[in-house]
Amino acid sequence: MKAAAFDYVRPATLREACGYLADGDGEARIIAGGQSLVPLMAMRLVRPRLLVDINDVAELTGIARDGSEVVVGAATRQADAGRSGIVVDDVPLLALALPFVGHDQTRNRGTVGGSLAHADPSAEIGLVAAALGATMTASDGETDRRIDAADFFQAPMTTTLEPGECLTAVRFPVWPGAGRVGAGFQEVSARDSDFAIVAAAAQLALDRDGVCRRAAVAVANAAPTPVRLLRIEEALIGQRPDNENIERLLPLMDEAIEPSTDLHAGADARRHMARSLTLRAILQAAANAAREP
Amino acid sequence: MPAKRITVIVNGEPHAASVEPRLTLVDFLRDVLDLTGTHVGCEHGVCGACSVLFDDLPIRSCLMFAVQADGHRVSTVEGLTEPGGGLSLIQDCFWETHSLQCGYCTPGMLIAAHALLRRNPDPSRQEIRKAISGNLCRCTGYGQIVEAIELAADRLNQRTPSPERDGHDR
Amino acid sequence: MTDKYRFLGRPRRTKEDRRFIAGSGRYVADIRLPGMAHIALVASPHASARIVSIDTGAALAVDGVRAVLTGAELQQATASMQHGVHLPEILWYPLAAGVVRYAGEWVAAVVADDRYIAEDAAELVAVAYEPLPAVVDPEEAFASTGRLVHPKHGSNVLFHRNFIWGPVEADFAAAAHSLDFRARWGRSSTVPIETFGAVACWDSGDDILDVWASVQMPKYADQIADALRLQGNQVRVHFDVDVGGSYGVKRGLKHAILVGYLARKLGRPVRLIEDRLENMSGGDAHGPDRIFDVSVAFDADGTVRSMKMRALDDCGAYPGRAPLQLGKPVGSIVGPYRIGSVAYEAISVCTNKTAQVAVRGFGQAPTTFAIETAIDRVAGYLGLDRVEVRRRNFIRADQFPYTIPSGTEYDSGDYHAVMRKLTDLANYPALLERRDQIRKAGKLAGVGIAAAMEPGGGNAAFEPLFNPRNDTTLWPESCTVKVDRQGAITALIVTSSAGQGHQTLAATVIGETLGFDPVGIRVIHSDSLSSLPGNSPVASRMAIMLGGAAQKAAEIIRDRAIRIAAHNLGRDPSGVIYADGAVAVTDDPSKRLSWEQIVRICHRQYHLMPPGMEPGLQASYTLQVPKGGAMPGEDGRVQMYPCFSFEAHMALVEIDPGTGKVEIPEYYVAHDCGTVINPLIVRGMMLGGIAHGIGAALYEKFEYDETGQHLSGTFMDYLLPSSLEIPMVKIAEHCTPSPLTSHGQKGAGESGYPGSPAAVASAVNDALAPIGRRVDALPIRLGYLAGMLRTASGAAP
């Protein structure tokens, strides 16, 4: 399991990196953490001619609050994001999700943007981005462009990033003034830390009476891309998110998801898991919101 | 492909070499530097046998290319041993509790345990199990590994090991 | 027990561990020879196909490529590998020629200056295939109505025999009840973290092939020599290689034939270190894959009178020793129970799948799973407690030695005492209460129970039983002990180790016998030319066999020291006493010879030696397995293995009704392997075996699709349990010494694994009982349970 031969560059600026991508004629690939890319290269399922290592591009790393958004640089390590106070305070859903991404050893190397660009339908970070309606920013070195999460994920392992474009950051919306905000993240995998067989994410804002005023709910690996459950979100507004109310809403997800069958679970099993985990994620979000002052 | 000139600080010593870009970090350590304590188990990032410290943090060295380590620090199991060959505390606790059988996963397991105790000198049992969950062991069933890390934590915190941890419920 | 011995039975640090924790173990991939070339393999993408052509031109043109070897050349130059049963028409070579019989079968080997280049060139070997339909379903294979995997053999059946031991039909007719069921053991294996590797170097000056490999079999050198048509002493296997786990699978004959042939042909050292893909699909990777059909006849009180078992095992494309894995369970076919008669139909078939190899327990764990499922079902049928039904059927302590219907005599045991220790350890009534509390909270919860035999010692009488042409009745193990001129003790053992602690074992026994701290005793692994006869560390046999041989060799040393001292002290040997190396006159301890003096006499002072005594101070002993040596009877009755360890397991599981995820919050086991030589090692074996069994019960399976494509070729698809899946197990030890061994020890190397799959399955089924469901097919994966729970009534999401 040795990668096919490639050339390697480690530029210091985004402009330079994009230049290499443009010159690569579609055969250049960005490597950030490499935690998904390198196994594919080792199995020779992916064989770039040029590897553009963006680990020295300082502008791609970092976490900052920018108005009503938290901006996470694409090359920010998953471990760093998980430890960030900004993430914990302002994007609690991401903070809950990150411990489910791989292991210590992979989070120390893997990046937030790398996971998004890889677009594995089971990925936790993509699920959070989809649930919250995050915005991706991408650059070809000359112009920047913003892509809504809903448009970003096209199919398993496929995004709308153009060849020659580099994902530069993801902007997670913060819910200011929306009341008491809480997040919930639930996942089932064959072994702990494996890829999710199904995962569900929810973020709720409750008013003083515990009534839901804003909701974001999505599931991963129940469809080719992470799916935001818009009908459930709408139906939650004005409701008290208790067990009975949510269970009543769960059938609303049935048409939104199209789970597949693989070694680990059949489509029917995934539908069952998606309902259970969505229920739990919403309840967890409601409980966390209720704890807010 | 043209070889790249790199310098990597391995176990405190700078090592310069000329490497093909596709050479993995683990193959560099084993085949170029002859540090064969780091093992190859799966080469696709699952088993953890190749774990090393990269800039002090545990990573999988099969999922990095050696060129990417240029200018960085790497520590391997050989670096855990004190100069002169003395065992570190965690190594000694692995021996005392017999936390290994065939020894193949052990270097990676030691790296994970070492990194855990540096980050959290007094981990709970669940934190220990979590911290080594990225390292597969087929011999031990993990029980004596968890015991070794608990023993090391007890010693780090100058506690008397609790009798429950002897594991001999007879 | 511990008072009786100074070193034996104490939790002493092992001799092996230090080098591993320092990172200085020496595994096969660490062997570096000047000019060594590297192999990468070209594997078949088809389960069944005709090879139309192979074009190696492009591969040979790659810079750094030394050779590309195809099956046509290798099959001409080598002899077929042998099978465990008589199958003369099934030829088996490291590389396929003409046809491929499983996805992953090796078709060509590329040799290059490094593995990267070898893989580059392997991609360029152009193989044209004509795909053929594959035999995938084992029942269809048994019918042999469709395609044949080996047409010349004339059938897909490799072995088929009906054994009847005792009045089965009469017992069924007399019993109050009977029930029958099917149980399925999924295709899983031991999957060591180190893949298989072999390095070979042909020395044309000495006309000898040197081999280093991650292997544990003393017969390896003979097998390589046979295949390469060399004389036995032209192959030297170096057993001082650390083996990164085996648990049975590390056989690697085809690897050694490949590197041996190529090393000689190319005149340079050649190595093949499997990568994980080569290992999982083409290596010695897969284990038993069985369908059990079981009927049991029983009375209203739960007494099981008789059992009928049909076991159909899918061996994959090449049998090797796989059919024999149906033979080992014959020696404990009734488990720990007084079942009076048994009908056993053993069927081994081939299919277009990766070949099955020996796995920990050699078929014991699947068979135990079937037997224990039967006991649970009897308890369920009668509404009796599962522990109680086991107690009612256990062989009683006063009945040992006890001969089971298939002819094997169990040496010793006290199953009731062990079960009592288990129920005390687990606090069984409280455990059931905890289960009920979890159920009340809306989860599924169950308590599982299993009792299992661990036969040890390895008189592998299934060889003659399953192959009448094989009249092997000797399965020896040897040890040499030598004392050097300074008085230091060194022992030589036959073969390599894969984590079992043989150095510690030998040093402990020798130290105990001679009164020396084992820390100072060196134990080295021989090579195949310098070693004495041995039959390898399989079958939970080394404590019994190496322990016994080491004891005997050390006793010879001690006796010689006594005779030398007696001669010089002017006494009869019965008038002196040996202690810690020194020998003193019994009634006048001031008259004594020190160890140093005795050693000096042996090595320098021939004039002080008793007349006729051999100079030096060394001894070798080759031990036959206790109770080995007899051929099976015509009725298939046989003494299979001498010593019978016993274990009883109890597990609490929770199943998440929303996801099907199974957690094991509590796990208990009580264990009796006789005298324990090093409790740290025995504990590790038990914990590791339980973990492996949990994997087989819940996670691990080599999966195939209906066309014979292998779907579990990576660690992302074949799921080894991690630390988070394995509970912290509590163990109670019990000791019923074996009357047959040097210190009363029995086997422990396969412990845990025989019983844990059955215990986990029992717990899952107890959890499913309230919703009226059951599953008797392993592994029980969460996806399957989630699908079941979706349709089951009464389960909340």
Side-chain angles (χ1 to χ4, degrees):
Chain A
M1 292 173 75
K2 310 295 184 190
F6 57 84
D7 201 359
Y8 170 88
V9 289
R10 201 201 296 180
T13 66
L14 177 61
R15 200 183 169 81
E16 218 186 323
C18 291
Y20 283 119
L21 285 183
D23 295 346
D25 210 15
E27 295 194 88
R29 281 287 291 252
I30 290 173
I31 185 167
Q35 303 300 290
S36 303
L37 178 61
V38 177
L40 294 171
M41 289 175 69
M43 294 178 202
R44 301 199 177 197
L45 299 171
V46 173
R47 35 201 322 153
R49 293 280 295 275
L50 175 68
L51 218 47
V52 180
D53 185 338
I54 56 168
N55 280 292
D56 281 0
V57 180
E59 62 206 278
L60 294 178
T61 303
I63 298 165
R65 176 81 186 247
D66 181 13
S68 62
E69 291 177 320
V70 167
V71 187
V72 180
T76 304
R77 305 270 177 230
Q78 293 155 3
D80 292 335
R83 282 190 290 264
S84 155
I86 296 174
V87 169
V88 171
D89 291 344
D90 295 344
V91 199
L93 185 57
L94 181 61
L96 284 181
L98 282 166
F100 287 92
V101 183
H103 304 277
D104 279 350
Q105 287 109 314
T106 60
R107 287 191 294 271
N108 282 332
R109 199 63 204 151
T111 64
V112 171
S115 174
L116 290 167
H118 185 60
D120 188 308
S122 70
E124 293 85 357
I125 298 171
L127 171 59
V128 172
L132 295 179
T135 308
M136 318 298 157
T137 62
S139 170
D140 62 5
E142 301 293 329
T143 50
D144 293 351
R145 145 173 115 93
R146 294 191 171 209
I147 312 162
D148 288 344
D151 302 324
F152 183 77
F153 299 109
Q154 288 289 93
M157 317 303 182
T158 310
T159 69
T160 47
L161 284 173
E162 298 287 340
E165 264 187 331
C166 176
L167 181 68
T168 54
V170 51
R171 307 177 74 91
F172 293 100
V174 182
W175 290 4
R180 297 181 296 167
V181 176
F185 191 92
Q186 297 285 326
E187 173 170 320
V188 63
S189 52
R191 298 170 297 189
D192 279 51
S193 309
D194 269 335
F195 293 102
I197 292 176
V198 172
Q203 187 163 297
L204 303 184
L206 305 184
D207 66 16
R208 298 244 155 254
D209 299 324
V211 174
C212 180
R213 293 298 167 202
R214 189 170 175 185
V217 184
V219 288
N221 222 9
T225 60
V227 174
R228 194 162 167 181
L229 303 174
L230 295 167
R231 292 186 63 194
I232 291 184
E233 290 180 6
E234 285 162 20
L236 278 167
I237 308 297
Q239 299 266 358
R240 275 173 211 286
D242 59 26
N243 197 72
E244 195 181 331
N245 280 332
I246 304 165
E247 266 194 43
R248 201 163 35 78
L249 303 179
L250 291 175
L252 295 174
M253 76 162 60
D254 289 353
E255 287 184 9
I257 62 175
E258 37 174 330
S260 61
T261 291
D262 66 15
L263 274 186
H264 305 298
D268 276 0
R270 280 198 163 81
R271 283 192 178 274
H272 182 65
M273 295 169 180
R275 280 201 184 192
S276 319
L277 297 179
T278 301
L279 167 67
R280 291 176 197 173
I282 296 170
L283 285 173
Q284 184 188 5
N288 282 335
R291 269 199 284 277
E292 290 290 302
Chain B
M1 289 295 166
K4 305 279 176 186
R5 194 83 198 148
I6 62 170
T7 301
V8 187
I9 315 287
V10 180
N11 299 330
E13 295 284 325
H15 291 270
S18 193
V19 298
E20 207 189 347
R22 62 171 165 167
L23 184 74
T24 58
L25 178 58
V26 66
D27 285 349
F28 172 73
L29 294 169
R30 291 178 47 82
D31 298 338
V32 178
L33 302 188
D34 216 20
L35 291 168
T36 55
T38 303
H39 296 150
V40 174
C42 72
E43 291 186 286
H44 56 280
V46 180
C47 77
C50 67
S51 298
V52 298
L53 297 178
F54 182 79
D55 292 339
D56 300 327
L57 294 172
I59 58 117
R60 305 205 189 292
S61 61
C62 73
L63 294 187
M64 270 190 76
F65 298 106
V67 281
Q68 296 186 280
D70 183 28
H72 291 269
R73 281 175 292 118
V74 174
S75 301
T76 68
V77 66
E78 289 92 345
L80 295 183
T81 309
E82 287 156 15
L87 297 177
S88 66
L89 172 65
I90 185 66
Q91 286 173 311
D92 191 58
C93 291
F94 266 56
W95 191 8
E96 186 168 334
T97 60
H98 186 51
S99 298
L100 54 142
Q101 290 170 31
C102 81
Y104 201 76
C105 77
T106 307
M109 203 61 88
L110 282 164
I111 292 288
H114 173 86
L116 168 68
L117 290 173
R118 209 169 41 188
R119 187 177 75 234
N120 176 3
D122 199 10
S124 69
R125 178 168 280 186
Q126 191 56 21
E127 286 168 336
I128 292 170
R129 293 172 73 197
K130 186 90 186 157
I132 61 170
S133 67
N135 295 71
L136 296 176
C137 170
R138 196 55 160 171
C139 293
T140 64
Y142 307 102
Q144 286 152 304
I145 298 172
V146 173
E147 287 164 14
I149 299 170
E150 290 180 342
L151 180 62
D154 283 339
R155 294 202 171 138
L156 276 173
N157 296 285
Q158 299 179 340
R159 270 196 306 266
T160 312
S162 60
E164 188 211 346
R165 288 181 181 170
D166 298 349
H168 297 285
D169 304 292
R170 279 154 198 272
Chain C
M1 181 183 89
T2 44
D3 292 332
K4 190 168 160 192
Y5 299 115
R6 255 167 84 188
F7 307 111
L8 208 128
R10 299 187 188 274
R12 296 167 52 85
R13 291 186 180 218
T14 68
K15 296 187 83 68
E16 295 85 351
D17 288 2
R18 196 187 185 288
R19 66 176 181 271
F20 297 131
I21 54 187
S24 57
R26 182 165 169 268
Y27 301 87
V28 65
D30 304 336
I31 307 280
R32 305 296 150 85
L33 301 174
M36 185 168 70
H38 302 249
I39 290 179
L41 294 155
V42 178
S44 167
H46 302 287
S48 174
R50 196 171 70 80
I51 298 173
V52 178
S53 64
I54 303 178
D55 183 351
T56 61
L60 283 165
V62 173
D63 198 25
V65 170
R66 301 288 160 171
V68 180
L69 177 67
T70 63
E73 178 185 337
L74 189 69
Q75 295 199 5
Q76 280 296 314
T78 60
S80 169
M81 294 181 280
Q82 298 293 305
H83 305 294
V85 292
H86 184 62
L87 297 163
E89 298 300 333
I90 299 183
L91 301 181
W92 182 28
Y93 296 92
L95 299 178
V99 293
V100 289
R101 295 190 173 88
Y102 63 93
E105 183 170 9
W106 301 344
V107 173
V110 177
V111 189
D113 290 349
D114 69 35
R115 172 81 193 197
Y116 288 77
I117 297 169
E119 287 192 27
D120 292 345
E123 288 189 305
L124 300 175
V125 174
V127 186
Y129 296 97
E130 179 193 330
L132 300 168
V135 182
V136 182
D137 181 81
E139 292 281 17
E140 282 173 24
F142 179 49
S144 291
T145 48
R147 241 193 104 63
L148 299 181
V149 178
H150 295 279
K152 274 192 174 173
H153 177 59
S155 152
N156 288 323
V157 180
L158 303 167
F159 180 83
H160 185 188
R161 184 167 171 187
N162 276 295
F163 298 92
I164 296 179
W165 299 298
V168 175
E169 294 306 333
D171 285 347
F172 265 77
H177 307 282
S178 70
L179 61 78
D180 47 55
F181 63 93
R182 170 166 281 205
R184 189 79 171 81
W185 177 276
R187 193 180 195 83
S188 61
S189 187
T190 74
V191 194
I193 307 300
E194 182 204 48
T195 61
F196 195 89
V199 180
C201 178
W202 177 259
D203 183 335
S204 54
D206 275 343
D207 221 24
I208 192 168
L209 184 73
D210 281 293
V211 177
W212 296 259
S214 48
V215 76
Q216 58 177 17
M217 313 304 294
K219 291 173 184 160
Y220 198 48
D222 302 347
Q223 293 170 329
I224 296 167
D226 285 346
L228 295 177
R229 299 180 177 128
L230 296 170
Q231 193 169 295
N233 63 6
Q234 280 181 292
V235 177
R236 176 169 48 208
V237 177
H238 296 262
F239 290 121
D240 57 348
V241 173
D242 290 316
V243 179
S246 169
Y247 335 98
V249 301
K250 291 267 178 79
R251 307 286 163 144
L253 182 54
K254 61 187 181 184
H255 311 65
I257 295 169
L258 262 181
V259 294
Y261 175 78
L262 284 164
R264 192 175 184 192
K265 173 179 168 160
L266 301 177
R268 60 191 297 169
V270 174
R271 86 165 187 173
L272 166 57
I273 307 293
E274 288 174 337
D275 70 15
R276 189 50 68 182
L277 299 178
E278 290 163 346
N279 171 262
M280 300 281 275
S281 293
D284 291 343
H286 296 195
D289 181 353
R290 282 191 197 168
I291 300 167
F292 291 99
D293 290 297
V294 181
S295 307
V296 281
F298 52 99
D299 292 335
D301 66 352
T303 303
V304 179
R305 291 179 174 232
S306 185
M307 176 177 74
K308 298 176 189 173
M309 177 184 285
R310 174 188 185 262
L312 172 65
D313 195 43
D314 178 350
C315 285
Y318 297 94
R321 285 176 68 79
L324 300 177
Q325 298 199 75
L326 288 168
K328 147 88 176 278
V330 167
S332 56
I333 196 68
V334 294
Y337 306 116
R338 285 177 284 108
I339 301 174
S341 60
V342 177
Y344 180 52
E345 183 180 12
I347 308 164
S348 185
V349 297
C350 54
T351 59
N352 290 112
K353 296 177 192 161
T354 301
Q356 181 191 121
V357 291
V359 161
R360 188 185 224 145
F362 210 61
Q364 191 68 36
T367 307
T368 300
F369 163 62
I371 295 170
E372 289 302 285
T373 301
I375 301 294
D376 268 12
R377 280 175 169 268
V378 167
Y381 182 96
L382 297 172
L384 295 172
D385 177 79
R386 288 167 293 162
V387 170
E388 183 55 29
V389 170
R390 285 175 171 83
R391 280 188 185 127
R392 289 180 187 175
N393 284 286
F394 277 156
I395 299 161
R396 294 190 312 273
D398 61 14
Q399 292 181 298
F400 290 95
Y402 181 89
T403 303
I404 65 169
S406 56
T408 293
E409 186 182 272
Y410 290 179
D411 58 335
S412 68
D414 188 344
Y415 307 152
H416 291 92
V418 174
M419 184 57 94
R420 191 161 56 245
K421 281 198 176 176
L422 176 70
T423 51
D424 286 353
L425 178 72
N427 194 349
Y428 181 48
L431 190 68
L432 292 175
E433 256 174 51
R434 279 202 292 289
R435 173 196 68 182
D436 296 341
Q437 289 301 320
I438 300 167
R439 286 178 177 175
K440 277 184 194 144
K443 277 194 171 185
L444 299 166
V447 169
I449 297 148
M453 307 305 299
E454 183 190 359
N459 55 315
F462 44 75
E463 290 173 353
L465 180 66
F466 271 38
N467 183 2
R469 286 163 185 260
N470 184 341
D471 60 357
T472 304
T473 57
L474 172 64
W475 298 273
E477 203 59 51
S478 304
C479 185
T480 297
V481 179
K482 44 189 261 185
V483 181
D484 64 25
R485 290 151 69 100
Q486 294 177 321
I489 301 166
T490 299
L492 278 77
I493 61 175
V494 175
T495 185
S496 47
S497 302
Q500 304 97 325
H502 301 139
Q503 291 174 316
T504 302
L505 163 65
T508 305
V509 169
I510 293 164
E512 189 69 49
T513 305
L514 294 177
F516 285 84
D517 190 328
V519 167
I521 298 173
R522 185 167 296 280
V523 180
I524 61 174
H525 300 274
S526 309
D527 64 54
S528 60
L529 293 183
S530 65
S531 69
L532 293 168
N535 198 54
S536 82
V538 297
S540 298
R541 73 194 293 274
M542 292 307 262
I544 296 164
M545 296 300 298
L546 174 58
Q551 155 88 354
K552 290 282 190 190
E555 279 178 354
I556 296 171
I557 299 278
R558 189 179 63 193
D559 290 347
R560 285 180 60 187
I562 289 170
R563 281 166 55 206
I564 289 165
H567 176 69
N568 284 281
L569 294 167
R571 300 293 165 110
D572 187 81
S574 63
V576 299
I577 190 160
Y578 176 101
D580 302 346
V583 181
V585 173
T586 310
D587 49 20
D588 183 2
S590 69
K591 290 188 178 139
R592 64 192 291 275
L593 244 61
S594 70
W595 178 250
E596 290 69 25
Q597 288 171 302
I598 294 167
V599 169
R600 191 172 170 81
I601 291 168
C602 289
H603 282 294
R604 297 168 192 269
Q605 297 164 311
Y606 193 68
H607 60 286
L608 298 182
M609 292 187 78
M613 184 179 273
E614 179 192 14
L617 189 51
Q618 61 284 322
S620 294
Y621 196 88
T622 298
L623 185 72
Q624 159 70 324
V625 188
K627 302 185 80 175
M631 288 288 286
E634 298 239 319
D635 56 356
R637 284 167 56 90
V638 63
Q639 178 70 39
M640 189 97 65
Y641 291 39
C643 302
F644 290 81
S645 297
F646 175 71
E647 56 193 46
H649 299 242
M650 194 169 279
L652 175 68
V653 305
E654 289 181 24
I655 305 174
D656 182 335
T659 64
K661 181 125 178 160
V662 178
E663 308 265 357
I664 311 174
E666 297 181 48
Y667 200 109
Y668 306 91
V669 66
H671 179 220
D672 182 356
C673 64
T675 304
V676 170
I677 292 170
N678 184 313
L680 292 175
I681 290 178
V682 169
R683 179 174 165 76
M685 291 288 156
M686 172 57 79
L687 296 177
I690 288 172
H692 181 194
I694 290 171
L698 297 177
Y699 304 104
E700 300 179 31
K701 188 178 180 193
F702 292 106
E703 193 83 59
Y704 282 84
D705 72 10
E706 64 281 0
T707 68
Q709 271 306 319
H710 180 212
L711 306 176
S712 313
T714 75
F715 274 3
M716 295 174 190
D717 309 306
Y718 188 93
L719 306 180
L720 304 177
S722 82
S723 53
L724 291 168
E725 281 68 55
I726 303 302
M728 294 300 283
V729 175
K730 288 197 185 319
I731 306 176
E733 284 288 348
H734 185 79
C735 179
T736 313
S738 173
L740 305 175
T741 60
S742 62
H743 298 85
Q745 71 272 32
K746 301 179 178 180
E750 296 162 333
S751 63
Y753 186 62
S756 63
V760 173
S762 169
V764 168
N765 280 311
D766 187 43
L768 295 176
I771 59 165
R773 299 297 172 115
R774 193 173 169 101
V775 49
D776 287 322
L778 304 187
I780 307 167
R781 288 187 287 199
L782 83 166
Y784 178 81
L785 289 175
M788 174 192 282
L789 293 164
R790 178 176 152 88
T791 53
S793 56

